[in-house]
Amino acid sequence: MELDAAFEVLSDAEHDRVTATYAPLAEAVRDLIDATIRTQADDNVIARARTAVEAVTRSLRSQRIRPSGISYRVDGRPVPLGNAAVGQCNPIAPPLIVHHEADGRCWSEFVLGAAYEGPPGLAHGGVCALVLDHMLGEAASQGLTQPLFTGTITVKYLRGTPLGPLRSEAWIDRTEGVKAFARGFISDDAGVTVEAEGIFIKPVWARAAE
């Protein structure tokens, strides 16, 4: 199936309305997730909080629900609001805000909090892999504007990645036919913590359309 079939086209004005309405809700839920993980409140406070959260959930589900698998395009560029890495409307996304340079390199500065913990005080290795898979994909696909998907990715953990402010960078190393080879890393103030390299492949349906 072609990827475009899963996209809904939004005008700039509608995109601004959607993000202005739903992104703050996602940010509030991110704060709730952090508070849920870290709270040591007493039983009564927890019971009241659970009742309130359940009521809000019922209220949201009683309204229109966006179908799973739907993303958006604005002026031909993808806007994946529900993406697990960059989705502004997805509270489990950090989210990454990816910047692209003229030379094809991309970077993001972001924060991983308590929701992403693996070993105490450190980010889960799988979360680091998620970040790097997305960042390498952003570089390989020129900002998600070209249909390339992860074929393989190799992640090398140099040391633990601490929770808190982090930076990731990615770039295309080379291309060979329908394959783009990308590299990247995550770093903290002390240097690189995780490196990755991956192969991103143009799907058959995109090759057939050329």
Side-chain angles (χ1 to χ4, degrees), residues 43-152:
D43 292 354
N44 290 335
V45 172
I46 295 300
R48 290 195 300 271
R50 186 183 70 189
T51 298
V53 170
E54 290 172 346
V56 170
T57 301
R58 286 194 300 271
S59 174
L60 293 175
R61 285 181 171 164
S62 71
Q63 306 298 309
R64 290 187 302 125
I65 298 294
R66 178 172 60 85
S68 298
I70 298 296
S71 195
Y72 303 94
R73 283 191 186 279
V74 178
D75 290 336
R77 58 185 173 82
V79 183
L81 297 176
N83 184 280
V86 298
Q88 293 183 53
C89 296
N90 185 346
I92 71 166
L96 305 178
I97 298 174
V98 184
H99 305 272
H100 291 267
E101 304 293 348
D103 62 0
R105 198 177 189 94
C106 64
W107 59 274
S108 180
E109 293 181 344
F110 56 98
V111 176
L112 294 182
Y116 308 100
E117 187 174 61
L122 300 176
H124 194 291
V127 173
C128 295
L130 167 69
V131 169
L132 286 165
D133 182 36
H134 187 87
M135 291 297 294
L136 269 61
E138 285 265 1
S141 65
Q142 301 172 44
L144 307 182
T145 62
Q146 304 296 319
L148 282 91
F149 298 97
T150 310
T152 62

Side-chain angles (χ1 to χ4, degrees), residues 151-163:
T152 62
I153 185 167
T154 302
V155 181
K156 183 178 181 181
Y157 299 90
L158 305 182
R159 59 184 172 87
T161 300
L163 297 175

